Amino acid sequence: MAQAHGENLKQAMDTLRNHKLRSALTVFGVVLGVSVIMLVAALITGFDVKVQEMVNQFGANTAFVSKWDQGRHGDAPLEERQRKPLTLEDGKALKDLCPAVKNVTAFLQTDWRQTHTVRTKAGEVTAIDFRGVQPNFGQVYANAATVEGRFLADGDDQHKEKVVMLGENVAPVLFPEGHPIGKDVFIDGSAFTVVGVVEKPKGGFGSGDEDRRVLIPYNTFKKIYTAADEVNMRFEAYPGMLDQSVDQATEVLRRRRNVAQGAKDNFSIRTAAQEVAEFHDIMAMVYTATIALSATGLLIGGVGVMNIMLVSVTERTREIGIRKAIGARSADIVWQFLLEAMTLTGAGGVLALIMVFGLVLLIRVTLGWAGIVPVWAAATGIVVSVSIGLIFGVWPAVKASKLDPVEALRYE
């Protein structure tokens, strides 16, 4: 039996070689459907790595507190826009009244529609991520390590000093020659002295792979931008106590912000785990849409395979008659054509895998992407492509097996 299948497989490969164009056109739908599945799986894998890196850069054991449900945005519901801002006193209360909370830092920003510019004689950076931060910002945020100089100190904040820390991508633009520490920059026209450079967060990609942060002391920011009241906070929990810290912080803030029992919170607390879970929910919807799109391509490919196999049966009617006349069973004929159909679609799956691997490699090299075709996606692609040949090759194979050998031998 194995020898017979081996002969059928060899015959199927000969058919592919003899009808290259016809075979390529036949499996186009299979290649398309399988390629989409594998490519989307590779891209989502890369996204997942990047998202988890970025989220963990904030601190896996931390939570972000804001008056907005989904962060600062422009099209918030009226109820969110009417909420009172968070305050420094709220942050102090979290630190004092939540046993699971290890540290709390607050930062100020202006309205999201207001843009800021930092410049020197050598260069200028617009649309900066401009914040007034407390001295413990670098302790709570895992992505605020100092690579040059020092971080903002308590004295800077208390005395409202005009000092600044530059993001790792901002400093080279303003100081191409390097060594920015101790030199002046102008932020919205005000002079500040550079005291440090903050490390670029890992996990960025594309146009977002830039660190445009410009950090000044919290009280300095408040003094210059008197209308700024967008206070946001991030707190760090003791190891293994993040869930407890969120529960405790929620209770404290509900009391401080006079939220009635049973009413909706007028603030939000979001953890890194929640961000990753939301991303996975979105990706699940993308997978569903991808499967629907791929199914269309696979259906088209399957119909094409069935049609070409029916043509093949007609073309090889006399050959089938000869095989039956010398003792071939109906099962042998069925397997001959099924193997040919599965070889045809399987070759399409292999071609799709090679194409996707090449495309993903190109993306990795050019964009620094972390994506790779998962083993399960590659295996699924090959299995699905072979299955398409098996499913849509059944009718032509059965039709061939039922041919009368006498009539088949007379066929011209």
Side-chain angles (χ1 to χ4, degrees), residues 24-37 289-306 345 348 384-385 388-389 392:
L25 293 175
T26 301
V27 299
F28 175 75
V30 175
V31 172
L32 177 63
V34 173
S35 296
V36 169
I37 292 175
T290 299
I291 291 172
L293 178 62
S294 300
T296 303
L298 293 172
L299 179 62
I300 294 172
V303 172
V305 169
M306 183 171 62
T345 56
V384 167
S385 61
I388 291 297
F392 286 89

Side-chain angles (χ1 to χ4, degrees), residues 50-60 271-273 275-276:
K50 293 292 185 180
V51 166
Q52 296 210 44
E53 281 183 357
M54 286 190 294
V55 170
N56 289 332
Q57 278 295 309
F58 293 117
T271 66
E275 300 285 352
V276 173

Side-chain angles (χ1 to χ4, degrees), residues 369-383:
W369 193 258
I372 188 172
V373 180
V375 174
W376 67 264
T380 299
I382 298 299
V383 170

Side-chain angles (χ1 to χ4, degrees), residues 114-317:
Q114 183 177 352
T115 58
H116 303 276
T117 300
V118 57
R119 63 178 178 82
T120 60
K121 291 182 179 179
E124 177 180 285
V125 180
T126 58
I128 58 177
D129 180 1
F130 187 38
R131 309 184 190 192
V133 304
Q134 294 184 309
N136 64 346
F137 184 89
Q139 299 169 17
V140 177
Y141 274 79
N143 64 354
T146 303
V147 293
E148 189 175 354
R150 64 171 177 84
F151 205 84
L152 303 174
D154 288 328
D156 299 327
D157 194 37
Q158 291 171 5
H159 300 295
K160 304 176 183 178
E161 299 288 352
K162 298 182 76 173
V163 293
V164 62
M165 289 196 73
L166 302 176
E168 196 171 357
N169 289 118
V170 175
V173 176
L174 303 180
F175 301 99
E177 73 285 357
H179 310 295
I181 307 304
K183 298 178 182 178
D184 288 342
V185 299
F186 290 88
I187 305 175
D188 297 339
S190 296
F192 287 79
T193 301
V194 179
V195 295
V197 176
V198 65
E199 183 181 19
K200 180 175 77 170
K202 298 178 178 62
F205 52 88
S207 61
D209 189 18
E210 294 183 351
D211 185 5
R212 289 174 170 259
R213 287 179 295 179
V214 175
L215 311 178
I216 67 174
Y218 182 97
N219 286 316
T220 305
F221 193 101
K222 185 66 178 176
K223 177 182 176 181
I224 297 173
Y225 302 93
T226 55
D229 64 356
E230 286 293 340
V231 178
N232 294 296
M233 293 178 285
R234 184 171 287 274
F235 63 78
E236 179 186 10
Y238 286 102
M241 300 184 70
L242 182 58
D243 290 340
Q244 296 96 311
S245 69
V246 170
D247 292 340
Q248 293 167 9
T250 300
E251 182 180 350
V252 169
L253 289 177
R254 283 180 66 88
R255 288 203 311 265
R256 289 184 58 83
R257 294 170 67 84
N258 300 316
V259 179
Q261 186 174 3
K264 177 185 175 183
D265 294 340
N266 57 7
F267 59 91
S268 68
I269 301 178
R270 300 176 62 78
T271 66
Q274 289 174 319
E275 300 285 352
V276 173
E278 284 191 5
F279 171 76
H280 287 162
D281 289 341
I282 294 172
M283 290 303 101
M285 291 187 286
V286 173
Y287 271 128
T288 301
T290 299
I291 291 172
L293 178 62
S294 300
T296 303
L298 293 172
L299 179 62
I300 294 172
V303 172
V305 169
M306 183 171 62
N307 287 335
I308 206 66
M309 292 307 299
L310 287 171
V311 171
S312 181
V313 170
T314 302
E315 290 177 344
R316 294 156 64 184
T317 299

Side-chain angles (χ1 to χ4, degrees), residues 314-365:
T314 302
E315 290 177 344
R316 294 156 64 184
T317 299
R318 186 173 179 81
E319 173 194 325
I320 295 168
I322 294 173
R323 293 198 66 185
K324 281 199 164 189
I326 60 177
R329 297 169 302 171
S330 295
D332 297 326
I333 303 299
V334 168
W335 274 110
Q336 175 188 349
F337 282 91
L338 281 181
L339 280 173
E340 186 170 320
M342 288 188 289
T343 302
L344 187 64
T345 56
V350 173
L351 178 61
L353 182 59
I354 294 172
M355 289 171 53
V356 171
F357 262 114
L359 183 58
V360 170
L361 180 61
L362 178 63
I363 294 174
R364 286 171 63 90
V365 171

